[in-house]
Amino acid sequence: MKVLFVNCCIRGERSRTLRLCKTYLKALIERRPDCEVTELYLPDQKLFPFDEQSLKLRDTLIARGEWDHPMFRFARQLADADRVVIGAPCWHLSFPAWLNIYLEQCCAAGVVIQFTEAGSVGLCQADKVVYITTAGDEITEDLGAQYLEAVFGTFGIRDFERYAVDGLDLDDADVEGALMKAEAAMELAVRNE
């Protein structure tokens, strides 16, 4: 099983989101010893938002079917994954910009999606997307999760799981207790797959 871990935990090892991601991945590897985890730490990638020139290049490459071009490396990797795990803190009702730029780079017709006369068809083979997030404040509406579920549904991955722990920076927060409760829920979910 090829697991793609899209790590957008900007604070590195201090990240509470990363802690939860590690717990989930450890449980998954214990349950499925055939797991091959590929970690993609987004701040280390050469990510760029599209501009006129890069869009023109992408459209030309798509028209020629040149899927081996480095521009499509993220799309190919995503399309080939059996499971996608995304770790990103909740920032401003969503997630860090790195993740949005990554998704923009992944959206390639002919790799993750195909447009037909009947509409678009997702080409990704993953069984599910697991989105893990934490927030210092309460999450009243997780627009990031809504967006990710819609995008990955378009890519053909309809099963979307979300694990979120919020309110971690509030004065009365039991941070350790909240994280441990989420870890136990994830471990149980993986065991019951």
Side-chain angles (χ1 to χ4, degrees), residues 1 7 44 50 66-67 83-84 90-91 94 116 132 135 138-139 147 153-154 160 172 175:
M1 170 185 236
N7 180 351
D44 284 348
F50 283 116
E66 293 182 25
W67 311 122
R83 178 157 307 170
V84 180
C90 184
W91 286 7
S94 187
T116 69
I132 301 170
E138 291 180 352
I139 300 174
Y147 175 72
T154 302
F160 185 86
D172 60 347
V175 175

Side-chain angles (χ1 to χ4, degrees), residues 107-173:
C107 193
V111 182
V112 299
I113 193 168
Q114 187 65 53
F115 298 108
T116 69
E117 288 181 13
S120 62
V121 176
L123 301 176
C124 290
Q125 68 181 16
D127 64 346
K128 73 171 71 173
V129 172
V130 177
Y131 176 49
I132 301 170
T133 190
T134 61
D137 201 357
E138 291 180 352
I139 300 174
T140 55
E141 190 172 14
D142 191 344
L143 301 175
Q146 293 172 32
Y147 175 72
L148 290 173
E149 185 171 12
V151 167
F152 282 102
T154 302
F155 292 168
I157 310 170
R158 305 269 183 242
D159 193 353
F160 185 86
E161 279 181 19
R162 174 185 173 264
Y163 296 97
V165 181
D166 65 349
L168 294 175
D169 294 338
L170 299 178
D171 289 339
D172 60 347

Side-chain angles (χ1 to χ4, degrees), residues 2-10 12 18 21 25 36-47 70-81 83-89 98-106 152:
K2 291 177 281 190
V3 178
L4 176 60
F5 172 34
V6 181
N7 180 351
C8 193
C9 300
I10 308 298
L18 182 59
C21 291
L25 291 168
E36 242 180 77
V37 178
T38 299
E39 181 176 346
L40 190 62
Y41 182 57
L42 295 184
D44 284 348
Q45 305 307 309
K46 293 182 179 175
L47 292 169
M71 180 176 272
F72 301 121
R73 69 188 180 282
F74 297 125
R76 288 191 313 268
Q77 187 179 45
L78 177 62
D80 196 41
R83 178 157 307 170
V84 180
V85 177
I86 298 173
W98 288 107
L99 184 52
N100 196 53
I101 295 170
Y102 166 76
L103 291 170
E104 186 176 284
Q105 295 290 314
C106 286
F152 282 102

